[in-house]
Amino acid sequence: MTFRIRRVTTTRAGGVSKAPFDTFNLGDHVGDDPKAVSANRTRLADAIGHGPLVWMNQVHGDAVVRVDEPRGTAVDDTDALITTTAGLALAVITADCVPVLLGDEEAGVIGAVHAGRVGAAKGIVARTVEAMVAAGAQVADMTAWLGPAVSGA
């Protein structure tokens, strides 16, 4: 059975965080009020029509974790998540790093990658592809979306 993959990116507009985190801060690790971050994350889930999203505590490494169900807490010490669970939404937070969203609609396997300079050098994207293939994805059927990231002049 083929399922449809949706890829979403956000801006900083439309949230409840106060300066200097104005306004739609989703990062719970930068010193923002935890209640504001939680409210912003709920707004995101509501806006995309999903229940809880699966978040990760990213560490600029090369660990990939498979998740099969919603979680009450973020996945620790990882820079990529994959799942084969239809309807489960994976989240990646970036500032200057590159968010990479991967998917094989035919196999029903998706991945969310935090690809910073260090993690990219360690092979985080390749490791995520390998984990997705191990979960049933076919490289020829995979698509990738690179989200906004910092760039030089």
Side-chain angles (χ1 to χ4, degrees):
M1 176 172 90
T2 302
F3 69 88
R4 184 168 174 245
I5 296 172
R6 291 179 57 210
R7 294 171 175 98
V8 176
T9 190
T10 63
T11 67
R12 293 188 61 162
V16 300
S17 294
K18 305 292 184 214
F21 306 103
D22 309 359
T23 66
F24 197 55
N25 174 46
L26 298 168
D28 63 357
H29 59 286
V30 295
D32 194 0
D33 177 0
K35 289 180 183 176
V37 174
S38 179
N40 290 337
R41 288 182 173 191
T42 297
R43 283 182 181 212
L44 175 60
D46 291 346
I48 64 173
H50 261 283
L53 283 74
V54 180
W55 300 85
M56 58 183 133
N57 289 325
Q58 302 150 186
V59 294
H60 296 278
D62 64 352
V64 180
V65 174
R66 180 175 173 164
V67 291
D68 295 315
E69 57 191 26
R71 298 173 48 104
T73 59
V75 179
D76 283 328
D77 300 324
T78 191
D79 283 277
L81 301 173
I82 70 162
T83 191
T84 59
T85 303
L88 190 61
L90 307 178
V92 57
I93 294 177
T94 61
D96 54 349
C97 299
V98 180
V100 181
L101 304 179
L102 302 166
D104 176 344
E105 288 186 329
E106 193 63 36
V109 182
I110 62 170
V113 185
H114 172 251
R117 178 181 46 84
V118 174
K122 290 181 177 180
I124 187 61
V125 176
R127 284 189 175 70
T128 306
V129 169
E130 291 166 356
M132 291 175 65
V133 168
Q138 300 293 316
V139 172
D141 294 332
M142 292 176 68
T143 58
W145 180 85
L146 305 177
V150 72
S151 65

